[in-house]
Amino acid sequence: MAVVINKVGVIGSGQMGNGIAHVAALAGLDVVLNDVSDDRLKSAMATINGNLSRQVVKKIITDDARKQALNRIATSDTMEGLADCDLVIETAVEKEDVKRKIFHDVCAVLKPEAIVASNTSSISITRLAASTDRPERFIGIHFMNPVPLMELVELIRGIATDDTTFEAAKEFVSRLGKQIAVSEDFPAFIVNRILLPMINEAIYTLYEGVGNVEAIDAAMKLGAHHPMGPLELADFIGLDTCLSIMQVLHEGLADSKYRPCPLLVKYVEAGWLGRKTQRGFYDYRGEKPVPTR
Ligand code: CAA
């Protein structure tokens, strides 16, 4: 049965969730943004408005488009609010038990033909799908950060994902104006399989004293034309997310080359998770980011 996606639910209103709500609403879809508290939803809506406004200032969209997009986003702090969605995308933390609980709760209220997707950056789609009542209607739709600016979305089929689900997901992503890379369901898929070992190596380079934070970032920005240095990018992604992706690679592929750098573990244990906690490889509490090593 072909699925027409008109209404999209986004579970989790953090940086990925609010970015997905932003681009879906701009593409003319109705969106329900879900999170556990009203405060988080209010703050996410303020972020979306801020990011849409930047696009207005840069003349990428009109102010009218900004207003219309905001009007298309409803918020809900209960799963019931997602009941009539054609597609829901989960963007919770990279913890399998948290995701499983969300899928259990949301599948209970969704119509049977609705598609369920995860924005996981590394966890097996087949395994997540198996925990739901609809493995054939389950798929990985993995956006890149910051969602409104990055052109790529990875699509990952689980072993049971059927063709109509895959086609509907392709059409949805194209409607958002994004390009697709199809990845097999192996740990961390394509982008993170390549990007995260590079970031981890940059952290080893710091740990071993080969260079300091500024030297390492300048080296890769100016010497390899990366838009952000690897440590700046790690802070941007979130150091907890970086660590959990390295752990998934290490455990899933059982190869010591994916060993997370002990310095990354230490930063996460300190609660220095990057920009979102205002401290990581840089300290963001002042006017300008200052390296912490
Ligand atoms: N919506 C959201 N954020 C926006 C935005 C918008 N409309 N417009 C700008 N931004 C953000 C940027 O992220 C950055 O944040 P701060 O203001 O808080 O510092 C700032 O606005 C920079 O804005 P600029 O207009 O100066 O943007 P730029 O032209 O310098 O480009 C960038 C910024 C596109 C992010 C560029 O630096 C870049 O490409 N960086 C690399 C990003 C990357 O590699 N992303 C992939 C990460 S991996 C991933 O996402 C997968 C995963 O699972 C971990």
PDB file of all heavy atoms in Angstrom, residues 220-256:
ATOM      1  N   MET A 220      43.500  21.211  10.217  1.00  0.00           N
ATOM      2  CA  MET A 220      42.501  20.578   9.346  1.00  0.00           C
ATOM      3  C   MET A 220      41.648  21.594   8.587  1.00  0.00           C
ATOM      4  O   MET A 220      41.175  21.323   7.482  1.00  0.00           O
ATOM      5  CB  MET A 220      41.611  19.629  10.161  1.00  0.00           C
ATOM      6  CG  MET A 220      42.368  18.435  10.711  1.00  0.00           C
ATOM      7  SD  MET A 220      43.333  17.554   9.454  1.00  0.00           S
ATOM      8  CE  MET A 220      42.053  16.732   8.531  1.00  0.00           C
ATOM      9  N   LYS A 221      41.460  22.789   9.191  1.00  0.00           N
ATOM     10  CA  LYS A 221      40.678  23.816   8.475  1.00  0.00           C
ATOM     11  C   LYS A 221      41.485  24.371   7.306  1.00  0.00           C
ATOM     12  O   LYS A 221      40.993  24.495   6.191  1.00  0.00           O
ATOM     13  CB  LYS A 221      40.312  24.966   9.428  1.00  0.00           C
ATOM     14  CG  LYS A 221      39.003  24.719  10.143  1.00  0.00           C
ATOM     15  CD  LYS A 221      38.356  25.989  10.647  1.00  0.00           C
ATOM     16  CE  LYS A 221      39.138  26.594  11.772  1.00  0.00           C
ATOM     17  NZ  LYS A 221      38.342  27.441  12.650  1.00  0.00           N
ATOM     18  N   LEU A 222      42.740  24.714   7.593  1.00  0.00           N
ATOM     19  CA  LEU A 222      43.543  25.372   6.572  1.00  0.00           C
ATOM     20  C   LEU A 222      44.336  24.384   5.723  1.00  0.00           C
ATOM     21  O   LEU A 222      44.672  24.675   4.586  1.00  0.00           O
ATOM     22  CB  LEU A 222      44.501  26.385   7.231  1.00  0.00           C
ATOM     23  CG  LEU A 222      43.812  27.414   8.134  1.00  0.00           C
ATOM     24  CD1 LEU A 222      44.835  28.332   8.788  1.00  0.00           C
ATOM     25  CD2 LEU A 222      42.788  28.233   7.338  1.00  0.00           C
ATOM     26  N   GLY A 223      44.603  23.210   6.299  1.00  0.00           N
ATOM     27  CA  GLY A 223      45.426  22.233   5.579  1.00  0.00           C
ATOM     28  C   GLY A 223      44.615  21.205   4.817  1.00  0.00           C
ATOM     29  O   GLY A 223      45.150  20.505   3.959  1.00  0.00           O
ATOM     30  N   ALA A 224      43.336  21.102   5.136  1.00  0.00           N
ATOM     31  CA  ALA A 224      42.510  20.116   4.415  1.00  0.00           C
ATOM     32  C   ALA A 224      41.173  20.720   3.974  1.00  0.00           C
ATOM     33  O   ALA A 224      40.303  19.996   3.497  1.00  0.00           O
ATOM     34  CB  ALA A 224      42.290  18.877   5.290  1.00  0.00           C
ATOM     35  N   HIS A 225      41.042  22.040   4.210  1.00  0.00           N
ATOM     36  CA  HIS A 225      39.826  22.766   3.822  1.00  0.00           C
ATOM     37  C   HIS A 225      38.554  22.188   4.425  1.00  0.00           C
ATOM     38  O   HIS A 225      37.515  22.156   3.764  1.00  0.00           O
ATOM     39  CB  HIS A 225      39.698  22.854   2.286  1.00  0.00           C
ATOM     40  CG  HIS A 225      40.333  24.088   1.741  1.00  0.00           C
ATOM     41  ND1 HIS A 225      40.100  24.550   0.476  1.00  0.00           N
ATOM     42  CD2 HIS A 225      41.172  24.984   2.301  1.00  0.00           C
ATOM     43  CE1 HIS A 225      40.794  25.660   0.272  1.00  0.00           C
ATOM     44  NE2 HIS A 225      41.458  25.934   1.368  1.00  0.00           N
ATOM     45  N   HIS A 226      38.634  21.693   5.671  1.00  0.00           N
ATOM     46  CA  HIS A 226      37.402  21.303   6.363  1.00  0.00           C
ATOM     47  C   HIS A 226      36.740  22.576   6.882  1.00  0.00           C
ATOM     48  O   HIS A 226      37.434  23.479   7.372  1.00  0.00           O
ATOM     49  CB  HIS A 226      37.730  20.356   7.522  1.00  0.00           C
ATOM     50  CG  HIS A 226      38.142  18.987   7.074  1.00  0.00           C
ATOM     51  ND1 HIS A 226      38.146  17.899   7.908  1.00  0.00           N
ATOM     52  CD2 HIS A 226      38.542  18.532   5.862  1.00  0.00           C
ATOM     53  CE1 HIS A 226      38.546  16.828   7.238  1.00  0.00           C
ATOM     54  NE2 HIS A 226      38.796  17.196   5.991  1.00  0.00           N
ATOM     55  N   PRO A 227      35.409  22.678   6.792  1.00  0.00           N
ATOM     56  CA  PRO A 227      34.758  23.923   7.224  1.00  0.00           C
ATOM     57  C   PRO A 227      34.917  24.186   8.722  1.00  0.00           C
ATOM     58  O   PRO A 227      34.976  25.337   9.155  1.00  0.00           O
ATOM     59  CB  PRO A 227      33.287  23.712   6.859  1.00  0.00           C
ATOM     60  CG  PRO A 227      33.138  22.256   6.590  1.00  0.00           C
ATOM     61  CD  PRO A 227      34.467  21.730   6.195  1.00  0.00           C
ATOM     62  N   MET A 228      35.005  23.126   9.512  1.00  0.00           N
ATOM     63  CA  MET A 228      35.275  23.271  10.954  1.00  0.00           C
ATOM     64  C   MET A 228      36.443  22.345  11.287  1.00  0.00           C
ATOM     65  O   MET A 228      36.564  21.271  10.675  1.00  0.00           O
ATOM     66  CB  MET A 228      34.086  22.762  11.779  1.00  0.00           C
ATOM     67  CG  MET A 228      32.864  23.627  11.769  1.00  0.00           C
ATOM     68  SD  MET A 228      31.577  22.810  12.754  1.00  0.00           S
ATOM     69  CE  MET A 228      30.358  24.097  12.811  1.00  0.00           C
ATOM     70  N   GLY A 229      37.253  22.730  12.278  1.00  0.00           N
ATOM     71  CA  GLY A 229      38.290  21.808  12.746  1.00  0.00           C
ATOM     72  C   GLY A 229      37.632  20.610  13.427  1.00  0.00           C
ATOM     73  O   GLY A 229      36.481  20.712  13.872  1.00  0.00           O
ATOM     74  N   PRO A 230      38.332  19.467  13.542  1.00  0.00           N
ATOM     75  CA  PRO A 230      37.710  18.266  14.101  1.00  0.00           C
ATOM     76  C   PRO A 230      37.274  18.410  15.569  1.00  0.00           C
ATOM     77  O   PRO A 230      36.269  17.811  15.974  1.00  0.00           O
ATOM     78  CB  PRO A 230      38.797  17.189  13.959  1.00  0.00           C
ATOM     79  CG  PRO A 230      40.070  17.931  13.725  1.00  0.00           C
ATOM     80  CD  PRO A 230      39.701  19.218  13.075  1.00  0.00           C
ATOM     81  N   LEU A 231      37.997  19.240  16.338  1.00  0.00           N
ATOM     82  CA  LEU A 231      37.629  19.383  17.756  1.00  0.00           C
ATOM     83  C   LEU A 231      36.440  20.332  17.902  1.00  0.00           C
ATOM     84  O   LEU A 231      35.531  20.109  18.707  1.00  0.00           O
ATOM     85  CB  LEU A 231      38.839  19.850  18.574  1.00  0.00           C
ATOM     86  CG  LEU A 231      40.042  18.896  18.480  1.00  0.00           C
ATOM     87  CD1 LEU A 231      41.277  19.500  19.140  1.00  0.00           C
ATOM     88  CD2 LEU A 231      39.713  17.531  19.098  1.00  0.00           C
ATOM     89  N   GLU A 232      36.429  21.352  17.064  1.00  0.00           N
ATOM     90  CA  GLU A 232      35.282  22.270  17.006  1.00  0.00           C
ATOM     91  C   GLU A 232      34.030  21.488  16.570  1.00  0.00           C
ATOM     92  O   GLU A 232      32.937  21.664  17.122  1.00  0.00           O
ATOM     93  CB  GLU A 232      35.639  23.341  15.970  1.00  0.00           C
ATOM     94  CG  GLU A 232      34.701  24.492  15.830  1.00  0.00           C
ATOM     95  CD  GLU A 232      35.051  25.357  14.602  1.00  0.00           C
ATOM     96  OE1 GLU A 232      36.051  25.090  13.888  1.00  0.00           O
ATOM     97  OE2 GLU A 232      34.297  26.315  14.363  1.00  0.00           O
ATOM     98  N   LEU A 233      34.227  20.610  15.608  1.00  0.00           N
ATOM     99  CA  LEU A 233      33.105  19.805  15.102  1.00  0.00           C
ATOM    100  C   LEU A 233      32.627  18.818  16.171  1.00  0.00           C
ATOM    101  O   LEU A 233      31.419  18.604  16.334  1.00  0.00           O
ATOM    102  CB  LEU A 233      33.521  19.074  13.816  1.00  0.00           C
ATOM    103  CG  LEU A 233      32.457  18.215  13.128  1.00  0.00           C
ATOM    104  CD1 LEU A 233      31.206  19.020  12.789  1.00  0.00           C
ATOM    105  CD2 LEU A 233      33.019  17.570  11.857  1.00  0.00           C
ATOM    106  N   ALA A 234      33.572  18.242  16.916  1.00  0.00           N
ATOM    107  CA  ALA A 234      33.191  17.316  17.997  1.00  0.00           C
ATOM    108  C   ALA A 234      32.307  18.038  19.018  1.00  0.00           C
ATOM    109  O   ALA A 234      31.265  17.521  19.445  1.00  0.00           O
ATOM    110  CB  ALA A 234      34.445  16.760  18.679  1.00  0.00           C
ATOM    111  N   ASP A 235      32.700  19.254  19.389  1.00  0.00           N
ATOM    112  CA  ASP A 235      31.896  20.064  20.323  1.00  0.00           C
ATOM    113  C   ASP A 235      30.517  20.345  19.734  1.00  0.00           C
ATOM    114  O   ASP A 235      29.518  20.413  20.450  1.00  0.00           O
ATOM    115  CB  ASP A 235      32.579  21.408  20.594  1.00  0.00           C
ATOM    116  CG  ASP A 235      33.655  21.327  21.668  1.00  0.00           C
ATOM    117  OD1 ASP A 235      33.834  20.248  22.260  1.00  0.00           O
ATOM    118  OD2 ASP A 235      34.306  22.367  21.907  1.00  0.00           O
ATOM    119  N   PHE A 236      30.485  20.554  18.430  1.00  0.00           N
ATOM    120  CA  PHE A 236      29.237  20.887  17.742  1.00  0.00           C
ATOM    121  C   PHE A 236      28.296  19.675  17.728  1.00  0.00           C
ATOM    122  O   PHE A 236      27.091  19.803  17.992  1.00  0.00           O
ATOM    123  CB  PHE A 236      29.599  21.313  16.312  1.00  0.00           C
ATOM    124  CG  PHE A 236      28.463  21.835  15.496  1.00  0.00           C
ATOM    125  CD1 PHE A 236      27.846  23.024  15.829  1.00  0.00           C
ATOM    126  CD2 PHE A 236      28.022  21.146  14.385  1.00  0.00           C
ATOM    127  CE1 PHE A 236      26.802  23.516  15.066  1.00  0.00           C
ATOM    128  CE2 PHE A 236      26.984  21.625  13.610  1.00  0.00           C
ATOM    129  CZ  PHE A 236      26.369  22.810  13.954  1.00  0.00           C
ATOM    130  N   ILE A 237      28.845  18.495  17.464  1.00  0.00           N
ATOM    131  CA  ILE A 237      28.032  17.266  17.442  1.00  0.00           C
ATOM    132  C   ILE A 237      27.581  16.910  18.859  1.00  0.00           C
ATOM    133  O   ILE A 237      26.459  16.431  19.072  1.00  0.00           O
ATOM    134  CB  ILE A 237      28.858  16.092  16.834  1.00  0.00           C
ATOM    135  CG1 ILE A 237      29.134  16.342  15.348  1.00  0.00           C
ATOM    136  CG2 ILE A 237      28.156  14.750  17.036  1.00  0.00           C
ATOM    137  CD1 ILE A 237      30.132  15.355  14.724  1.00  0.00           C
ATOM    138  N   GLY A 238      28.438  17.164  19.834  1.00  0.00           N
ATOM    139  CA  GLY A 238      28.191  16.753  21.231  1.00  0.00           C
ATOM    140  C   GLY A 238      29.148  15.610  21.553  1.00  0.00           C
ATOM    141  O   GLY A 238      29.179  14.608  20.841  1.00  0.00           O
ATOM    142  N   LEU A 239      29.939  15.781  22.640  1.00  0.00           N
ATOM    143  CA  LEU A 239      30.974  14.777  22.920  1.00  0.00           C
ATOM    144  C   LEU A 239      30.360  13.466  23.394  1.00  0.00           C
ATOM    145  O   LEU A 239      30.919  12.393  23.174  1.00  0.00           O
ATOM    146  CB  LEU A 239      31.980  15.321  23.940  1.00  0.00           C
ATOM    147  CG  LEU A 239      32.708  16.610  23.509  1.00  0.00           C
ATOM    148  CD1 LEU A 239      33.850  16.933  24.464  1.00  0.00           C
ATOM    149  CD2 LEU A 239      33.242  16.522  22.088  1.00  0.00           C
ATOM    150  N   ASP A 240      29.182  13.524  24.026  1.00  0.00           N
ATOM    151  CA  ASP A 240      28.496  12.281  24.428  1.00  0.00           C
ATOM    152  C   ASP A 240      28.068  11.493  23.185  1.00  0.00           C
ATOM    153  O   ASP A 240      28.226  10.266  23.120  1.00  0.00           O
ATOM    154  CB  ASP A 240      27.293  12.584  25.340  1.00  0.00           C
ATOM    155  CG  ASP A 240      26.352  13.641  24.770  1.00  0.00           C
ATOM    156  OD1 ASP A 240      26.734  14.417  23.859  1.00  0.00           O
ATOM    157  OD2 ASP A 240      25.198  13.690  25.229  1.00  0.00           O
ATOM    158  N   THR A 241      27.576  12.206  22.173  1.00  0.00           N
ATOM    159  CA  THR A 241      27.191  11.533  20.922  1.00  0.00           C
ATOM    160  C   THR A 241      28.427  10.948  20.248  1.00  0.00           C
ATOM    161  O   THR A 241      28.407   9.795  19.792  1.00  0.00           O
ATOM    162  CB  THR A 241      26.471  12.534  19.988  1.00  0.00           C
ATOM    163  OG1 THR A 241      25.336  13.042  20.692  1.00  0.00           O
ATOM    164  CG2 THR A 241      26.000  11.876  18.707  1.00  0.00           C
ATOM    165  N   CYS A 242      29.516  11.717  20.209  1.00  0.00           N
ATOM    166  CA  CYS A 242      30.762  11.215  19.600  1.00  0.00           C
ATOM    167  C   CYS A 242      31.204   9.936  20.304  1.00  0.00           C
ATOM    168  O   CYS A 242      31.557   8.947  19.653  1.00  0.00           O
ATOM    169  CB  CYS A 242      31.877  12.256  19.709  1.00  0.00           C
ATOM    170  SG  CYS A 242      31.623  13.700  18.671  1.00  0.00           S
ATOM    171  N   LEU A 243      31.167   9.950  21.642  1.00  0.00           N
ATOM    172  CA  LEU A 243      31.605   8.769  22.395  1.00  0.00           C
ATOM    173  C   LEU A 243      30.688   7.582  22.118  1.00  0.00           C
ATOM    174  O   LEU A 243      31.158   6.460  21.881  1.00  0.00           O
ATOM    175  CB  LEU A 243      31.644   9.085  23.904  1.00  0.00           C
ATOM    176  CG  LEU A 243      32.023   7.918  24.813  1.00  0.00           C
ATOM    177  CD1 LEU A 243      33.409   7.361  24.466  1.00  0.00           C
ATOM    178  CD2 LEU A 243      31.996   8.339  26.288  1.00  0.00           C
ATOM    179  N   SER A 244      29.396   7.828  22.102  1.00  0.00           N
ATOM    180  CA  SER A 244      28.506   6.672  21.910  1.00  0.00           C
ATOM    181  C   SER A 244      28.655   6.092  20.496  1.00  0.00           C
ATOM    182  O   SER A 244      28.584   4.883  20.317  1.00  0.00           O
ATOM    183  CB  SER A 244      27.058   6.983  22.295  1.00  0.00           C
ATOM    184  OG  SER A 244      26.479   7.773  21.329  1.00  0.00           O
ATOM    185  N   ILE A 245      28.939   6.926  19.499  1.00  0.00           N
ATOM    186  CA  ILE A 245      29.163   6.393  18.145  1.00  0.00           C
ATOM    187  C   ILE A 245      30.451   5.555  18.120  1.00  0.00           C
ATOM    188  O   ILE A 245      30.491   4.466  17.537  1.00  0.00           O
ATOM    189  CB  ILE A 245      29.203   7.530  17.101  1.00  0.00           C
ATOM    190  CG1 ILE A 245      27.843   8.232  17.022  1.00  0.00           C
ATOM    191  CG2 ILE A 245      29.605   6.987  15.719  1.00  0.00           C
ATOM    192  CD1 ILE A 245      27.825   9.515  16.205  1.00  0.00           C
ATOM    193  N   MET A 246      31.511   6.057  18.775  1.00  0.00           N
ATOM    194  CA  MET A 246      32.764   5.271  18.815  1.00  0.00           C
ATOM    195  C   MET A 246      32.544   3.944  19.541  1.00  0.00           C
ATOM    196  O   MET A 246      33.097   2.918  19.153  1.00  0.00           O
ATOM    197  CB  MET A 246      33.892   6.070  19.495  1.00  0.00           C
ATOM    198  CG  MET A 246      34.471   7.201  18.664  1.00  0.00           C
ATOM    199  SD  MET A 246      34.897   6.786  16.946  1.00  0.00           S
ATOM    200  CE  MET A 246      36.183   5.540  17.140  1.00  0.00           C
ATOM    201  N   GLN A 247      31.735   3.969  20.601  1.00  0.00           N
ATOM    202  CA  GLN A 247      31.475   2.711  21.324  1.00  0.00           C
ATOM    203  C   GLN A 247      30.719   1.709  20.440  1.00  0.00           C
ATOM    204  O   GLN A 247      31.006   0.518  20.448  1.00  0.00           O
ATOM    205  CB  GLN A 247      30.690   2.995  22.611  1.00  0.00           C
ATOM    206  CG  GLN A 247      31.587   3.576  23.693  1.00  0.00           C
ATOM    207  CD  GLN A 247      30.822   4.223  24.834  1.00  0.00           C
ATOM    208  OE1 GLN A 247      29.660   4.611  24.681  1.00  0.00           O
ATOM    209  NE2 GLN A 247      31.474   4.360  25.979  1.00  0.00           N
ATOM    210  N   VAL A 248      29.749   2.220  19.674  1.00  0.00           N
ATOM    211  CA  VAL A 248      28.991   1.341  18.777  1.00  0.00           C
ATOM    212  C   VAL A 248      29.931   0.746  17.710  1.00  0.00           C
ATOM    213  O   VAL A 248      29.863  -0.443  17.388  1.00  0.00           O
ATOM    214  CB  VAL A 248      27.814   2.107  18.128  1.00  0.00           C
ATOM    215  CG1 VAL A 248      27.233   1.338  16.960  1.00  0.00           C
ATOM    216  CG2 VAL A 248      26.724   2.381  19.160  1.00  0.00           C
ATOM    217  N   LEU A 249      30.847   1.567  17.176  1.00  0.00           N
ATOM    218  CA  LEU A 249      31.805   1.067  16.180  1.00  0.00           C
ATOM    219  C   LEU A 249      32.734   0.022  16.808  1.00  0.00           C
ATOM    220  O   LEU A 249      33.004  -1.024  16.228  1.00  0.00           O
ATOM    221  CB  LEU A 249      32.653   2.229  15.635  1.00  0.00           C
ATOM    222  CG  LEU A 249      31.991   3.108  14.573  1.00  0.00           C
ATOM    223  CD1 LEU A 249      32.818   4.370  14.318  1.00  0.00           C
ATOM    224  CD2 LEU A 249      31.830   2.339  13.253  1.00  0.00           C
ATOM    225  N   HIS A 250      33.214   0.322  18.027  1.00  0.00           N
ATOM    226  CA  HIS A 250      34.162  -0.547  18.715  1.00  0.00           C
ATOM    227  C   HIS A 250      33.525  -1.897  19.036  1.00  0.00           C
ATOM    228  O   HIS A 250      34.084  -2.954  18.758  1.00  0.00           O
ATOM    229  CB  HIS A 250      34.629   0.168  19.987  1.00  0.00           C
ATOM    230  CG  HIS A 250      35.840  -0.423  20.624  1.00  0.00           C
ATOM    231  ND1 HIS A 250      35.993  -0.489  21.979  1.00  0.00           N
ATOM    232  CD2 HIS A 250      36.951  -0.978  20.095  1.00  0.00           C
ATOM    233  CE1 HIS A 250      37.150  -1.062  22.254  1.00  0.00           C
ATOM    234  NE2 HIS A 250      37.758  -1.367  21.129  1.00  0.00           N
ATOM    235  N   GLU A 251      32.312  -1.819  19.579  1.00  0.00           N
ATOM    236  CA  GLU A 251      31.624  -3.067  19.949  1.00  0.00           C
ATOM    237  C   GLU A 251      31.106  -3.799  18.700  1.00  0.00           C
ATOM    238  O   GLU A 251      31.257  -5.009  18.581  1.00  0.00           O
ATOM    239  CB  GLU A 251      30.454  -2.773  20.886  1.00  0.00           C
ATOM    240  CG  GLU A 251      30.920  -2.510  22.316  1.00  0.00           C
ATOM    241  CD  GLU A 251      29.921  -1.687  23.117  1.00  0.00           C
ATOM    242  OE1 GLU A 251      28.717  -1.710  22.798  1.00  0.00           O
ATOM    243  OE2 GLU A 251      30.365  -0.986  24.057  1.00  0.00           O
ATOM    244  N   GLY A 252      30.528  -3.039  17.785  1.00  0.00           N
ATOM    245  CA  GLY A 252      29.875  -3.662  16.627  1.00  0.00           C
ATOM    246  C   GLY A 252      30.850  -4.274  15.641  1.00  0.00           C
ATOM    247  O   GLY A 252      30.533  -5.260  14.985  1.00  0.00           O
ATOM    248  N   LEU A 253      32.047  -3.682  15.514  1.00  0.00           N
ATOM    249  CA  LEU A 253      33.004  -4.191  14.530  1.00  0.00           C
ATOM    250  C   LEU A 253      34.178  -4.909  15.191  1.00  0.00           C
ATOM    251  O   LEU A 253      35.025  -5.489  14.508  1.00  0.00           O
ATOM    252  CB  LEU A 253      33.487  -3.043  13.637  1.00  0.00           C
ATOM    253  CG  LEU A 253      32.346  -2.385  12.824  1.00  0.00           C
ATOM    254  CD1 LEU A 253      32.807  -1.086  12.183  1.00  0.00           C
ATOM    255  CD2 LEU A 253      31.810  -3.328  11.755  1.00  0.00           C
ATOM    256  N   ALA A 254      34.220  -4.865  16.532  1.00  0.00           N
ATOM    257  CA  ALA A 254      35.216  -5.598  17.326  1.00  0.00           C
ATOM    258  C   ALA A 254      36.638  -5.393  16.806  1.00  0.00           C
ATOM    259  O   ALA A 254      37.414  -6.332  16.666  1.00  0.00           O
ATOM    260  CB  ALA A 254      34.853  -7.085  17.364  1.00  0.00           C
ATOM    261  N   ASP A 255      36.952  -4.135  16.490  1.00  0.00           N
ATOM    262  CA  ASP A 255      38.293  -3.833  15.986  1.00  0.00           C
ATOM    263  C   ASP A 255      38.883  -2.730  16.868  1.00  0.00           C
ATOM    264  O   ASP A 255      38.251  -1.695  17.081  1.00  0.00           O
ATOM    265  CB  ASP A 255      38.166  -3.358  14.521  1.00  0.00           C
ATOM    266  CG  ASP A 255      39.507  -3.253  13.824  1.00  0.00           C
ATOM    267  OD1 ASP A 255      40.523  -2.940  14.494  1.00  0.00           O
ATOM    268  OD2 ASP A 255      39.543  -3.469  12.604  1.00  0.00           O
ATOM    269  N   SER A 256      40.118  -2.958  17.362  1.00  0.00           N
ATOM    270  CA  SER A 256      40.713  -2.009  18.313  1.00  0.00           C
ATOM    271  C   SER A 256      40.961  -0.639  17.676  1.00  0.00           C
ATOM    272  O   SER A 256      41.163   0.346  18.381  1.00  0.00           O
ATOM    273  CB  SER A 256      42.008  -2.572  18.890  1.00  0.00           C
ATOM    274  OG  SER A 256      42.935  -2.737  17.840  1.00  0.00           O
TER     275      SER A 256
END
